[in-house]
Amino acid sequence: MARRDSSPDFVEAIARGLDVIRAFGPRRPVMTLAAVAAAAGLPRPTARRILLTLEELGYVRAADGGFELTPRVLDLGMSYVLSRGLWEIARPHLEQLVARTHESSSVAQLDGSDIVYVARVAVPKIVTLAVTIGTRFPALQTSLGKVLLAALPPGEAERILAEPTRSGITARWQPGADERAAALREVRARGWALTDEQLAPGIRSVAAPLRDGDGRVIAALDVTVHAAETPIEVLTGEYLPLLLQTEGAISADWAACQAAPQVVKPGGRRVAAERTS
């Protein structure tokens, strides 16, 4: 819904535009004007003006008596991914990991009580939930999210988990406070996390943290399998060691990228300076 803010620097028109984009949730690819207005908490004339503006900019188009987002919306998320450099650094390592395991691998970061996927190399398999860059899931019920939550102080993790998910998904596992705390303590103790059909049926995964040069957890990396095909013993006995090797390599490359001198290319893009011999 459109927000109100007392700050003189708050631009409500931008907030309303983002509310309209977010109105197109899971299983709602095409929405009428009335549906968008209701979901965004806006008067219909306001929603109409915003939709027409987004259409002019190429982020929305008319479809089947309503409106739908265009692929250009992905630019908004990819701007974040590319600006962080995670995709360029992680991609070759993910590709190697997937080639060795023949299973999908992803990188995600924490956003409130959800994880958001920022890099992924997938294999064609039928799974319960589709995943692409930008997909969000409740954090606690994923191995990626457990790793990211375990990296926080316990009080901070509980504060974040009190926030409602924005994924539109109701996870299978709904633990109480004591069970949540015990699960995160276990992750902190062993340095990696396992999830076995806690998010949805058939989804089993293992994850480990990605760190920067100062040892801070910046993201998490996983291998995901179909529970009916891959036993936990294979996931943790065969794939986990490969995952840990990969997270170490990505973390090392990220640290090296941080340490490299930066130059500004035309257009304002910062890149590592080329070495000369």
Side-chain angles (χ1 to χ4, degrees), residues 89 93 248-258:
I89 291 173
H93 297 289
I250 295 174
S251 295
D253 282 358
W254 180 260
C257 181
Q258 281 186 305

Side-chain angles (χ1 to χ4, degrees), residues 19-31 39 69 166-168:
D19 288 334
V20 166
I21 290 175
R22 286 194 293 265
F24 294 84
R27 296 175 295 279
R28 290 188 297 180
V30 178
M31 299 181 68
L69 300 178
R166 291 190 281 131
S167 67

Side-chain angles (χ1 to χ4, degrees), residues 147-148 151 187 191-193 207-211 217-221 244 247-248 251:
V147 165
L148 296 169
V187 175
W192 52 271
L210 299 177
R211 302 179 184 274
V217 174
I218 57 168
L221 169 73
L244 296 176
E247 64 90 3
S251 295

